[in-house]
């Protein structure tokens, strides 16, 4: 995907969000109650790979690596009576189970397919939700690829296809129609400091996408 087509996609996403705010009718629950009313979520996002370590990306440093990803994801919010959600309450308001399917292209390799099942921890009760419906999330799971990405092979031996998966995310939506959300995400694979006994260098992608909540 070229920079021009990526800009066009972001523009279309923004227009969809603006249109939903203009034409939506009715009222919606706020905060974590939104995810209880609409427990299913479908997400698409496009990401670009960076050559920097995760800590440096979080600090604001990013250098482009010639690879990009496209991801489709389906997630389900555990209900309030679920024992896992009760265990983490009230520290975490929303607990989700998700299955993420990713396609990697670039760096002169064949297309790589990636599967990332994970559990998500989402915070949705923010005081400014009546201006912008917001949620912040962290996801932890496993990641399997059909071939080890080139960026993970650099200067390493004993690379493995199965690694740890971590995602960091922020979502935003108009309060008049919070079911349609703009998503910003960091998509991370690594050996988790030796837990997976893998020599892979961690790979990181910064993505932007769109999510729809439904029941």
């Amino acid at each position: 995907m070229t920079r021009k087509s990526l800009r066009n996609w972001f523009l279309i996403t923004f227009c969809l969000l603006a249109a939903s705010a203009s034409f939506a009718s009715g009222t919606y629950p706020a905060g974590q109650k939104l995810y209880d009313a609409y427990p299913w979520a479908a997400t698409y996002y496009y990401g670009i790979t960076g050559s920097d370590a995760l800590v440096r990306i979080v600090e604001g440093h990013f250098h482009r690596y010639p690879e990009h990803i496209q991801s489709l994801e389906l997630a389900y919010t555990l209900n309030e009576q679920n024992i896992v959600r009760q265990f983490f309450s009230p520290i975490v308001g929303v607990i989700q189970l998700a299955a993420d399917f990713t396609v990697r292209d670039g760096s002169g390799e064949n297309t790589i397919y990636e599967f990332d099942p994970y559990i998500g921890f989402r915070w949705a009760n923010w005081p400014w939700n009546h201006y912008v419906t917001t949620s912040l999330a962290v996801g932890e799971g496993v990641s399997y690829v059909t071939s080890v990405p080139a960026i993970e092979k650099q200067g390493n031996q004993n690379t493995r296809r199965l690694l740890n998966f971590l995602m960091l995310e922020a979502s935003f939506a108009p309060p008049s129609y919070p079911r349609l959300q703009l998503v910003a995400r960091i998509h991370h694979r690594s050996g988790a400091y030796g837990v997976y006994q893998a020599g892979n260098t961690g790979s990181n992608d910064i993505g932007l996408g769109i999510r729809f909540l439904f029941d």
Side-chain angles (χ1 to χ4, degrees):
M1 183 177 287
T2 65
R3 290 185 179 181
K4 182 178 180 180
S5 61
L6 184 58
R7 286 196 303 268
N8 290 340
W9 188 88
F10 291 157
L11 180 60
I12 292 171
T13 301
F14 177 80
C15 291
L16 285 172
L17 289 171
S20 68
S22 301
F23 297 106
S25 59
T27 59
Y28 294 90
Q32 69 186 53
K33 295 298 183 182
L34 174 68
Y35 296 88
D36 292 326
Y38 302 97
W40 289 96
T43 305
Y44 165 81
Y45 61 94
Y46 175 93
I48 55 176
T49 304
S51 58
D52 301 274
L54 178 61
V55 173
R56 286 186 56 81
I57 290 178
V58 172
E59 292 174 345
H61 304 279
F62 187 83
H63 295 88
R64 177 75 186 270
Y65 183 80
E67 181 189 66
H68 67 269
I69 65 171
Q70 295 189 71
S71 299
L72 290 174
E73 180 177 292
L74 184 66
Y76 177 73
T77 299
L78 300 179
N79 63 54
E80 292 181 290
Q81 288 72 44
N82 183 275
I83 188 172
V84 176
R85 183 165 169 180
Q86 289 182 345
F87 177 81
F88 287 101
S89 179
I91 298 175
V92 182
V94 178
I95 306 292
Q96 297 173 308
L97 299 180
D100 184 285
F101 177 73
T102 293
V103 179
R104 291 181 174 270
D105 282 302
S107 66
E109 294 188 312
N110 294 328
T111 298
I112 297 173
Y113 301 98
E114 177 181 333
F115 181 58
D116 310 303
Y118 70 88
I119 182 170
F121 305 89
R122 187 172 300 277
W123 292 266
N125 295 334
W126 300 102
W128 57 82
N129 276 346
H130 56 290
Y131 295 112
V132 179
T133 298
T134 305
S135 76
L136 301 178
V138 175
E140 174 63 33
V142 296
S143 176
Y144 179 82
V145 290
T146 54
S147 178
V148 177
I151 193 171
E152 297 180 11
K153 298 177 184 176
Q154 295 181 345
N156 293 281
Q157 296 180 347
N158 190 36
T159 55
R160 295 182 182 272
R161 297 182 183 183
L162 181 67
L163 293 180
N164 188 71
F165 176 73
L166 175 69
M167 78 86 175
L168 305 173
E169 181 191 280
S171 72
F172 309 95
S176 58
Y177 197 65
R179 297 172 61 186
L180 187 63
Q181 303 176 347
L182 182 66
V183 175
R185 174 178 289 198
I186 295 177
H187 178 117
H188 172 77
R189 272 173 47 90
S190 73
Y193 301 102
V195 172
Y196 289 76
Q197 299 182 348
N200 303 54
T201 299
S203 60
N204 301 286
D205 294 84
I206 294 181
L208 189 65
I210 191 167
R211 169 181 293 126
F212 183 71
L213 304 181
F214 59 100
D215 57 10

